[in-house]
Amino acid sequence: MKQGRVFSGARPTGRQHLGNYLGAIKNYVALQDDYDCVYCVVDLHALTTLQDTKHLKEWTYEMVLDWLAAGIDPDRGTIVFVQSHVPQVTELHVILSMVTPLGKLTRLPTFKEKVRQQPDNVNYGLVGYPVLMAADITLYKANVVPVGVDQVSHLEFTREIVRTFNHHFGPVLVEPQAKHTEVPKVLGIDGVNKMSKSLNNHIELAIEPDELYNRVRMMVTDPQRQRRTDPGRPEVCNVFSLHKVFTSPETVRQIDADCRTAGIGCVDCKKMLAQNLADHLAPFRERRAQLATDPDHVWDVLHDGAERASVIAREVIAEVKTAVGLP
Ligand code: SF4
């Protein structure tokens, strides 16, 4: 018996990396055990920040291929679809925008941050972004949304919109609850910034083993460890952080001790990590390659997902329009 319906959306960003996997995909896969899951590629959201949209289709394909290879499984009831394929979301967006004070939107720290990041492209979509997000969640009657600590305020905004709407028009929309998830901050190979494609400090899940070794070799370690004989501090080393995820606890303890006494060098430590990562990712790569033999598969999954999502969306938008009194 499932505990409810989960909704989560992600922008189409192409091939996924370790940060995407540990921060979201792993959790998406696990949630399928206990919830009906609705996972959406939010391509309309992507338009708010992208000026060049020519890669959107390719990025959608590559991202969903990674999702499926990682274990997101439509055969288990999970709905995987593209936001713009279910146009009712834009109708709900407009209706919800009528109960959302403009001042609240422009005061949101996330909006101010976007204005700082792209001062030459402060478009209307950026202001309405949280309303579109509320439409995404409520259109599918999701009662649970997985959120990391830094996203709690976004979901609270959705909850406020739902309360306002229901107060005006009756109890139509479901107020979603946050499902707090531990989202580890995965640093890139520079050891400083969050792993990100745009900073080119990432390690793709589908990376070839040779290239994987090169990327791991480039990883920044403890800056105080200049020579092989210098003792290291694993707690400040990103290689060690990844060992904690991909290496057995016993070996992690050994590396911790050996690093502090210079019993192991960074080159060997990295070789070990690269090998463990390659072993861990091998089944994923195999499954991805197998799925990619049918280039239509991803689009078939998305087409089917949009049809199933539309069944829910049509029902909700009809209820919303009736409640609002639209003729
Ligand atoms: S030995 Fe390993 S844990 Fe220690 S500093 Fe080098 S790479 Fe990091």
Side-chain angles (χ1 to χ4, degrees):
M1 181 70 182
K2 298 283 174 88
Q3 294 172 27
R5 183 177 290 149
V6 156
F7 177 92
S8 191
R11 287 166 176 244
T13 51
R15 286 179 172 227
Q16 302 289 279
H17 53 66
L18 283 179
N20 301 131
Y21 176 68
L22 297 173
I25 301 172
K26 202 175 164 198
N27 192 35
Y28 280 7
V29 174
L31 284 167
Q32 296 177 117
D33 291 338
D34 298 321
Y35 296 90
D36 290 321
C37 296
V38 180
Y39 296 140
C40 179
V41 181
V42 290
D43 55 344
L44 295 172
H45 283 291
L47 297 182
T48 58
T49 49
L50 282 181
Q51 281 173 311
D52 179 359
T53 57
K54 66 173 182 281
H55 297 298
L56 268 180
K57 192 172 175 188
E58 176 201 335
W59 288 346
T60 298
Y61 175 87
E62 295 288 346
M63 183 164 93
V64 174
L65 186 57
D66 279 351
W67 282 6
L68 300 176
I72 292 176
D73 187 358
D75 289 340
R76 294 175 66 189
T78 300
I79 298 177
V80 184
F81 72 108
V82 175
Q83 185 186 28
S84 66
H85 292 179
V86 184
Q88 285 84 357
V89 75
T90 55
E91 285 185 85
L92 187 55
H93 175 206
V94 171
I95 294 171
L96 294 183
S97 73
M98 307 304 170
V99 297
T100 310
L102 180 61
K104 260 191 173 174
L105 290 167
T106 52
R107 280 195 299 273
L108 284 175
T110 41
F111 173 67
K112 290 180 180 166
E113 179 58 26
K114 285 289 174 213
V115 172
R116 261 194 300 277
Q117 284 173 0
Q118 51 183 64
D120 299 331
N121 182 21
V122 183
N123 56 66
Y124 170 74
L126 276 183
V127 188
Y129 191 100
V131 188
L132 182 55
M133 199 179 103
D136 283 324
I137 297 167
T138 53
L139 187 60
Y140 303 104
K141 289 201 167 170
N143 50 1
V144 176
V145 176
V147 285
V149 197
D150 55 346
Q151 299 157 327
V152 174
S153 59
H154 299 190
L155 186 66
E156 192 47 43
F157 197 82
T158 293
R159 286 160 54 85
E160 271 177 38
I161 293 177
V162 170
R163 287 196 291 267
T164 309
F165 181 91
N166 287 352
H167 174 75
H168 283 299
F169 303 114
V172 175
L173 299 178
V174 174
E175 189 174 331
Q177 306 296 319
K179 180 168 175 55
H180 295 279
T181 48
E182 186 102 13
V183 180
K185 187 175 177 190
V186 183
L187 296 181
I189 60 172
D190 55 15
V192 180
N193 298 295
K194 201 172 151 184
M195 191 174 280
S196 145
K197 211 170 176 173
S198 55
L199 295 173
N200 192 23
N201 66 359
H202 61 300
I203 297 176
E204 285 181 355
L205 297 178
I207 193 168
E208 295 290 332
D210 286 355
E211 183 54 20
L212 171 62
Y213 179 65
N214 283 337
R215 296 296 273 179
V216 173
R217 207 162 42 117
M218 287 158 66
M219 284 181 77
V220 173
T221 64
D222 176 4
Q224 279 185 25
R225 221 181 158 192
Q226 301 284 334
R227 287 176 298 267
R228 169 69 179 79
T229 48
D230 292 337
R233 300 167 300 166
E235 65 277 10
V236 300
C237 176
N238 194 27
V239 174
F240 188 71
S241 305
L242 290 182
H243 267 304
K244 285 199 278 188
V245 182
F246 295 103
T247 301
S248 72
E250 197 185 322
T251 310
V252 168
R253 276 194 295 277
Q254 190 65 51
I255 293 171
D256 187 311
D258 288 349
C259 173
R260 291 178 198 284
T261 55
I264 186 175
C266 294
V267 173
D268 288 336
C269 189
K270 287 176 174 180
K271 268 188 196 157
M272 221 191 293
L273 175 64
Q275 186 59 56
N276 292 347
L277 265 172
D279 291 347
H280 193 92
L281 294 175
F284 165 86
R285 290 182 57 244
E286 207 173 295
R287 173 127 180 86
R288 191 184 203 277
Q290 187 211 334
L291 289 170
T293 55
D294 176 4
D296 292 334
H297 181 69
V298 164
W299 299 115
D300 289 345
V301 164
L302 291 173
H303 180 75
D304 179 59
E307 289 205 336
R308 289 162 61 208
S310 293
V311 173
I312 311 169
R314 279 196 290 266
E315 189 187 305
V316 173
I317 202 72
E319 285 174 27
V320 165
K321 284 179 171 176
T322 304
V324 170
L326 289 171

